[in-house]
Amino acid sequence: MVRLPFLSSTRSVPEASKVPRHIAIIMDGNGRWARKRLMPRVAGHAKGVDSLREVIRSCLDRGVEYLTVFAFSSENWRRPKDEVSFLMQLFVKSLKAEIDRIHRNEIRLRVVGDLTPFDEALVSLIRDGEALTAGNGKMNLTICANYGGRWDIMQAVEKMMAASSTSGGRPYSEEDLAPHLALSFSPEPDLFIRTGGEQRISNFMLWQLAYSELYFTDKLWPEFGEAALGEAIASYQGRERRFGRTSEQLVSDKPDTTSDHA
Ligand code: IPE
Ligand code: IPE
Ligand code: MG
């Protein structure tokens, strides 16, 4: 059986730390931010890059180990052609402009999603950035691009079936699937944040959000920054993470890392 480096929240009780170890963000509301200012929607995307820079800085300062952001969903291709092409160009431009800063700050960059429809130039920029920062260990920044939670589960199932010797005829388990998920290098998110007021998951990290604390804010992504992140973390710190247990058990139990039902 392939052993994952991280505990699954449904197979055992992970340790919950004060500072979320992994924060996952749906950066939403760029278009509305711009329209409110009578600017084209894409101006909101450009401004959103500044918010991302500030949030990365703040996560670094706070000792967050994994930051995963949703930049482009598998459904965002449905948008007007011009907006999609602006987003692709912005991705290229921002990667070029920021990669040195990312590296200097000892951040490891990964881009997760189905990259096949992307421009060759963008894909090679991504691969170069990943290679450059592969040895960095201060924080893991993951950008989800042409990513969808269902895509991830389906591609993982395909890989699991291809490696079907792992099952050896017994029923498949979480442990067989999980190593093939695109985000298998990270623990599950402790804190999920969605800006922009919508209270939905929009096909983001469907598998991994099983026991994440969900935080929704009306703040639009271009106005989200250090202070707003602090509020989200404060809300997280006030939550009781029970992972299926009772409140009473939490008082008496130490975080339990043994498997529940193995
Ligand atoms: C999020 O902002 C960015 C992407 C989806 C690429 P939106 O563009 O969805 O902004 P709103 O939700 O229309 O305001
Ligand atoms: C989710 O936002 C995707 C990203 C932020 C990249 P959307 O704006 O696409 O989500 P819906 O369409 O409102 O659900
Ligand atoms: Mg939106």
Side-chain angles (χ1 to χ4, degrees):
M1 189 189 300
V2 187
R3 277 253 156 245
L4 273 178
F6 301 112
L7 292 171
S8 150
S9 61
T10 46
R11 301 286 288 162
S12 51
V13 179
E15 205 162 331
S17 51
K18 201 157 183 300
V19 173
R21 196 174 173 203
H22 184 177
I23 299 182
I25 309 182
I26 297 187
M27 309 181 291
D28 195 22
N30 294 348
R32 278 164 287 160
W33 180 88
R35 300 309 293 166
K36 272 201 336 203
R37 285 158 183 78
L38 306 177
M39 296 194 283
R41 288 178 50 82
V42 294
H45 297 318
K47 188 71 168 62
V49 177
D50 296 339
S51 297
L52 181 54
R53 194 183 302 108
E54 187 172 328
V55 166
I56 293 170
R57 175 82 261 158
S58 181
C59 283
L60 259 184
D61 294 345
R62 291 165 193 272
V64 172
E65 292 173 57
Y66 296 84
L67 172 65
T68 304
V69 296
F70 207 4
F72 191 86
S73 77
S74 42
E75 289 69 51
N76 285 145
W77 297 106
R78 298 168 180 164
R79 295 194 175 198
K81 223 171 136 227
D82 284 356
E83 181 167 340
V84 170
S85 117
F86 181 93
L87 282 165
M88 294 301 152
Q89 283 163 32
L90 184 64
F91 199 177
V92 169
K93 191 176 139 202
S94 308
L95 258 181
K96 281 186 181 160
E98 304 293 334
I99 192 66
D100 286 343
R101 194 200 316 266
I102 288 171
H103 189 41
R104 261 203 321 278
N105 282 290
E106 295 170 55
I107 297 170
R108 177 165 186 181
L109 173 77
R110 291 182 184 88
V111 178
V112 159
D114 177 10
L115 302 189
T116 42
F118 288 172
D119 244 39
E120 224 174 276
L122 174 54
V123 175
S124 71
L125 259 181
I126 289 169
R127 295 305 175 215
D128 289 351
E130 287 178 332
L132 174 71
T133 61
N136 293 345
K138 212 162 199 176
M139 190 172 86
N140 293 274
L141 169 66
T142 303
I143 298 177
C144 295
N146 193 22
Y147 170 90
R150 290 187 182 178
W151 163 82
D152 191 14
I153 293 169
M154 289 312 297
Q155 66 82 31
V157 167
E158 290 232 357
K159 286 185 185 150
M160 180 185 76
M161 304 291 280
S164 61
S165 55
T166 53
S167 157
R170 65 177 166 73
Y172 286 111
S173 70
E174 267 197 34
E175 284 78 6
D176 296 316
L177 184 78
H180 301 294
L181 291 163
L183 279 134
S184 64
F185 56 83
S186 80
E188 294 170 33
D190 300 293
L191 172 61
F192 159 93
I193 299 172
R194 181 173 187 146
T195 62
E198 312 297 351
Q199 303 199 354
R200 54 178 171 250
I201 303 294
S202 299
N203 198 16
F204 188 45
M205 295 181 80
L206 297 180
W207 180 276
Q208 295 85 350
L209 292 173
Y211 270 104
S212 306
E213 295 300 325
L214 307 181
Y215 179 85
F216 298 95
T217 170
D218 288 337
K219 258 200 169 50
L220 304 170
W221 178 249
E223 59 202 17
F224 192 90
E226 153 83 48
L229 181 71
E231 283 170 32
I233 293 176
S235 163
Y236 165 82
Q237 288 169 340
R239 312 276 180 98
E240 185 176 68
R241 303 193 73 191
R242 291 192 286 275
F243 297 103
R245 297 163 299 172
T246 66
S247 236
E248 289 73 16
Q249 284 175 293
L250 287 189
V251 181
S252 56
D253 279 13
K254 291 224 157 25
D256 183 354
T257 53
T258 57
S259 185
D260 299 327
H261 44 170

